[in-house]
């Protein structure tokens, strides 16, 4: 595996490439053209500029997260053909620049949902958190307003103000879309882009829905073992794969994370490994990556990835805000750096255990 860190670009991220390259064992970044809108074509020139900036700091681009999928594709609207054509052109340009991993999601309206961005924990750190009761009490059109004050002046992925201004319109677009239709539209999209993925060896890694159940009545399909295996069979191409996010699948305590990993051998192209602490089945908060700080057995998760021969990029995911750091909630430097070191330590131990057998 390769240890990486997500980086939003020098214009948007409070963490610098200079800092990232000093994290032991981190050799690549997972990045994006953060100022592009869903449906826009990424030019080779902009991709080249992004690559050069990263490589100037002794790192490389391990993958893209995300090339966002336009809502016309997700809803199967008439104009989806043009947006699929644009997506294919972007994939071609990435492939020509030797970038071979794209993480994406197929979530309606909200890319992820949290009800708090700065819940204070007993140790004084602040974390992202979710309670179903808070969601049930909210008008979805007011969701952005409820958390905007805790963004520390940053723009959170999937919660861009211009997108959130159109929440009512977005809900209208999805009113006739159920889980079956969303699956059909995802299958259609993947079948259209697989030829260019085959040509340029681009692995498409779908990110699970977060949380792994319906929010505000919207359909959610990438939520459990049954559904993700269904998608792998619907488009049975090795380039159609998974970004295995332990925190997102783990929001549903019925999901056996190590078992899911083992069931996806050969189809996990990217991994987000993080921990959650549950106060109840519908009240959870982000934790430190350490197993004992949350609910998940992180050694078992890393062991499952090792057992299936996972050799792709991995990254620590949402971290706590600690030591007075102010930045994009969940994406500060310090706790994610600790997470990277911890995950690297687990991997080293697992490798050495396996070598002694």
């Amino acid at each position: 595996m390769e240890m990486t860190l997500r980086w939003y670009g020098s214009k948007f991220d409070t963490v610098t490439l200079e800092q990232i390259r000093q994290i032991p064992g981190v050799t690549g970044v997972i990045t994006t053209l953060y100022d592009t809108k869903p449906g826009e074509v990424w030019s080779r020139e902009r991709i080249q500029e992004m690559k050069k900036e990263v490589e100037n700091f002794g790192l490389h681009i391990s993958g893209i997260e995300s090339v966002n999928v336009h809502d016309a594709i997700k809803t199967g609207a008439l104009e989806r053909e043009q947006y699929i054509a644009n997506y294919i052109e972007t994939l071609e340009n990435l492939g020509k620049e030797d970038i071979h991993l794209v993480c994406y999601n197929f979530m309606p309206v909200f890319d992820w949902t949290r009800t708090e961005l700065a819940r204070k924990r007993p140790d004084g750190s602040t974390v992202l958190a979710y309670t179903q009761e808070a969601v049930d009490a909210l008008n979805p059109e007011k969701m952005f307003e409820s958390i905007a004050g805790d963004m520390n002046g940053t723009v959170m992925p999937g919660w861009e103000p211009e997108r959130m201004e159109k929440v009512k319109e977005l809900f209208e677009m999805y009113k006739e879309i159920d889980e079956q239709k969303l699956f059909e539209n995802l299958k259609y999209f993947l079948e259209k882009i697989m030829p260019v993925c085959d040509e340029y060896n681009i692995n498409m890694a779908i990110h699970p829905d977060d949380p792994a159940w319906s929010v505000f009545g919207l359909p959610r399909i990438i939520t459990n073992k049954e559904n993700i295996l269904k998608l792998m069979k619907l488009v049975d191409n090795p380039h159609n794969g998974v970004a295995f996010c332990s925190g997102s699948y783990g929001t549903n305590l019925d999901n056996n994370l190590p078992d899911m990993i083992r069931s996806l051998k050969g189809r996990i192209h990217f991994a987000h490994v993080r921990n959650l602490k549950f106060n109840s089945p519908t009240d959870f908060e982000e934790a430190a990556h350490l197993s004992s700080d949350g609910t998940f057995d992180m050694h078992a998760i890393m062991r499952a990835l090792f057992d299936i021969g996972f050799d792709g990029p991995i990254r620590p995911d949402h971290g706590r805000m600690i030591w007075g750091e102010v930045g994009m909630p969940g994406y500060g430097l310090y706790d994610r750096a600790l997470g990277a070191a911890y995950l690297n330590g687990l991997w080293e131990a697992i490798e050495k255990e396996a070598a002694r057998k």
Side-chain angles (χ1 to χ4, degrees):
M1 66 92 182
E2 180 193 22
M3 187 58 65
T4 67
L5 205 75
R6 189 172 189 179
W7 183 66
Y8 289 95
S10 53
K11 293 181 180 179
F12 303 99
D13 210 314
T14 55
V15 178
T16 68
L17 292 169
E18 177 72 20
Q19 292 168 326
I20 292 172
R21 74 171 180 175
Q22 294 175 31
I23 304 171
V26 173
T27 57
V29 295
I30 302 296
T31 190
T32 187
L33 292 178
Y34 199 36
D35 56 354
T36 56
K37 296 177 182 178
E40 286 186 15
V41 174
W42 293 20
S43 69
R44 282 194 72 179
E45 291 73 22
R46 290 213 60 197
I47 296 168
Q48 288 167 352
E49 290 170 4
M50 178 173 62
K51 279 187 65 178
K52 183 178 179 181
E53 182 177 15
V54 171
E55 290 170 357
N56 282 344
F57 284 89
L59 297 161
H60 73 107
I61 295 176
S62 305
I64 299 297
E65 185 180 350
S66 301
V67 179
N68 290 317
V69 180
H70 195 277
D71 290 292
I73 298 174
K74 295 178 185 179
T75 60
L78 291 175
E79 60 269 30
R80 70 174 169 180
E81 299 300 336
Q82 181 57 57
Y83 287 115
I84 290 174
N86 291 355
Y87 207 100
I88 288 170
E89 187 174 348
T90 292
L91 292 178
E92 288 175 342
N93 290 337
L94 289 168
K96 290 172 182 175
E97 294 303 323
D98 201 29
I99 296 172
H100 303 285
L101 170 69
V102 172
C103 177
Y104 71 105
N105 75 70
F106 221 72
M107 287 180 254
V109 185
F110 301 112
D111 282 5
W112 51 271
T113 307
R114 293 291 183 272
T115 53
E116 299 167 69
L117 300 184
R119 178 184 289 182
K120 195 166 185 176
R121 302 190 78 205
D123 63 5
S125 63
T126 60
V127 294
L128 307 176
Y130 179 98
T131 58
Q132 188 61 45
E133 293 78 7
V135 169
D136 293 341
L138 270 175
N139 178 334
E141 294 178 40
K142 303 294 183 182
M143 188 71 196
F144 179 73
E145 294 176 18
S146 72
I147 62 173
D150 290 330
M151 290 184 179
N152 297 325
T154 64
V155 178
M156 298 289 286
W159 291 81
E160 297 79 7
E162 62 274 13
R163 178 174 175 80
M164 292 299 99
E165 288 172 2
K166 300 177 180 177
V167 165
K168 187 174 182 179
E169 180 182 327
L170 287 167
F171 268 85
E172 186 69 18
M173 288 178 66
Y174 284 94
K175 70 177 183 178
E176 302 297 331
I177 306 298
D178 58 13
E179 290 190 4
Q180 181 179 343
K181 188 63 178 176
L182 197 60
F183 254 122
E184 290 171 359
N185 293 340
L186 176 53
K187 178 177 183 286
Y188 184 89
F189 166 66
L190 286 170
E191 287 177 339
K192 288 284 188 177
I193 67 171
M194 280 299 107
V196 72
C197 293
D198 292 339
E199 182 178 356
Y200 290 98
N201 191 29
I202 294 175
N203 287 325
M204 296 297 297
I206 192 165
H207 190 283
D209 300 343
D210 190 358
W213 56 76
S214 176
V215 177
F216 298 123
L218 295 165
R220 294 288 180 101
I221 56 175
I222 309 302
T223 57
N224 55 33
K225 178 179 177 180
E226 178 186 1
N227 282 14
I228 194 61
L229 290 178
K230 174 182 176 179
L231 179 62
M232 296 302 98
K233 292 176 183 176
L234 280 174
V235 183
D236 194 9
N237 183 310
H239 290 117
N240 171 35
V242 176
F244 193 90
C245 178
S246 63
S248 296
Y249 281 123
T251 57
N252 184 343
L253 289 170
D254 289 334
N255 285 334
N256 181 324
L257 302 178
D259 173 68
M260 289 181 71
I261 290 168
R262 290 187 171 91
S263 74
L264 289 162
K265 183 177 181 179
R267 302 296 277 272
I268 297 178
H269 299 317
F270 181 29
H272 299 176
V273 180
R274 59 181 168 93
N275 206 349
L276 295 177
K277 178 178 175 58
F278 280 82
N279 302 304
S280 79
T282 56
D283 179 335
F284 61 82
E285 58 195 49
E286 313 288 358
H289 287 74
L290 191 71
S291 296
S292 61
D293 195 54
T295 300
F296 305 149
D297 183 338
M298 305 300 282
H299 179 274
I301 290 169
M302 294 294 281
R303 179 73 207 213
L305 288 167
F306 178 85
D307 287 346
I308 65 168
F310 174 74
D311 61 359
I314 189 171
R315 67 171 179 84
D317 206 359
H318 305 163
R320 303 166 300 149
M321 301 305 286
I322 61 174
W323 302 337
E325 184 177 18
V326 177
M328 185 185 293
Y331 289 97
L333 170 65
Y334 305 139
D335 201 44
R336 288 191 299 153
L338 292 174
Y342 173 64
L343 296 177
N344 268 329
L346 286 176
W347 194 265
E348 179 182 347
I350 291 165
E351 283 185 320
K352 289 180 176 178
E353 288 167 2
R356 285 197 295 266
K357 291 181 179 178

